Amino acid sequence: KLDGKIYAGSSMGAFLASSSYVLSLSDQKENEVHNGIGLLPIQTLCHWNIEDKKDMKLKLLRDNSDMPIIVLNEFETVTLYK
């Protein structure tokens, strides 16, 4: 889907590009796995350095799929090559 292209997204942009994700903030539905549009075959957790429920969120994603889990701290970037 992204062959030969570049995609940049932070927070919700990273979530949406992922196959699945768990929301970061306590006032959101953070206890369930959400589906992104699947541009990238990954599962994503953002704002990791301020996350209080790391173990629970990792378990949700591990139970959801065997796709890699990407965790992003505030202001962190990751580059994926295909």
Side-chain angles (χ1 to χ4, degrees), residues 45-57:
L45 294 162
C46 292
H47 311 289
W48 198 242
N49 56 315
I50 61 170
E51 177 58 60
D52 292 330
K53 300 175 183 172
K54 291 180 180 176
D55 290 337
M56 182 267 299
K57 291 182 180 185

Side-chain angles (χ1 to χ4, degrees), residues 37-65:
I37 58 175
L39 293 176
L40 299 168
I42 58 171
Q43 303 184 93
T44 304
L45 294 162
C46 292
H47 311 289
W48 198 242
N49 56 315
I50 61 170
E51 177 58 60
D52 292 330
K53 300 175 183 172
K54 291 180 180 176
D55 290 337
M56 182 267 299
K57 291 182 180 185
L58 284 170
K59 182 174 179 2
L60 283 170
L61 289 181
R62 286 184 182 128
D63 291 348
N64 179 64
S65 170

Side-chain angles (χ1 to χ4, degrees), residues 6-17 40 44 46 72 76-78:
I6 296 173
Y7 177 87
S10 66
S11 196
M12 189 52 72
F15 287 149
L16 290 177
L40 299 168
T44 304
C46 292
L72 293 167
E76 184 178 24
T77 62
V78 65

Side-chain angles (χ1 to χ4, degrees), residues 5-39:
K5 297 180 180 60
I6 296 173
Y7 177 87
S10 66
S11 196
M12 189 52 72
F15 287 149
L16 290 177
S18 302
S19 293
S20 55
Y21 60 93
V22 177
L23 292 167
S24 306
L25 305 175
S26 60
D27 62 338
Q28 300 172 329
K29 293 182 180 180
E30 63 169 346
N31 296 322
E32 60 187 72
V33 175
H34 302 275
N35 293 321
I37 58 175
L39 293 176

